[in-house]
Amino acid sequence: MTELGILYQGLSGKMGDKVFYQRNGKTFVRRAPGSYNKNATPKQAESRTLFTQSHQFAQSVIDDPILKALYTKKANGKCSAYIAAMKEFLSR
C-alpha cells in the first residue's frame, strides 16, 4: 500500500496490474490481487453454502416488513436487521 501524490488524487479503479483506491481522503495504489485456486476444499464448499443460505434467510427477513421490524429490534442499534438475521441463522 503506497500513498500517492496530488497527480493521482481521487483516482480509483484498476489500471493494468495496479488498483487505485481511497482511504480517509487519500489515494493509495497496490498490486491487483492474483488468481486463486478455484477448487474449494470440502470445508470451504460447506462454509460457502452455509453463507449463501444465511444470506437468503436474511434477505427474506428484509423483504418482510414485520420480520424486518422484529430483527431491527433484536439488533438493538448495534447492527442492521440483515446482519442480526445472518447472525441468528449462523448460530443455529
Side-chain angles (χ1 to χ4, degrees):
M1 170 170 80
T2 305
E3 184 182 350
L4 299 177
I6 193 133
L7 180 64
Y8 296 99
Q9 194 65 21
L11 185 63
S12 67
K14 185 176 176 186
M15 187 182 310
D17 66 341
K18 304 289 184 213
V19 175
F20 296 87
Y21 62 101
Q22 306 293 311
R23 279 282 188 319
N24 299 321
K26 296 179 181 178
T27 304
F28 294 90
V29 65
R30 66 175 182 224
R31 280 186 297 168
S35 63
Y36 61 94
N37 183 359
K38 294 184 182 183
N39 297 328
T41 65
K43 195 168 185 174
Q44 286 173 325
E46 181 182 333
S47 292
R48 290 174 185 173
T49 299
L50 186 61
F51 187 83
T52 300
Q53 291 170 346
S54 69
H55 163 71
Q56 291 169 342
F57 173 73
Q59 192 61 53
S60 70
V61 166
I62 297 302
D63 292 341
D64 182 334
I66 296 170
L67 284 177
K68 183 177 180 181
L70 176 69
Y71 277 88
T72 298
K73 188 174 180 179
K74 272 187 178 184
N76 201 20
K78 295 179 183 175
C79 60
S80 67
Y82 177 87
I83 296 298
M86 284 192 73
K87 282 181 182 178
E88 182 177 297
F89 185 91
L90 292 170
S91 67
R92 292 180 184 178

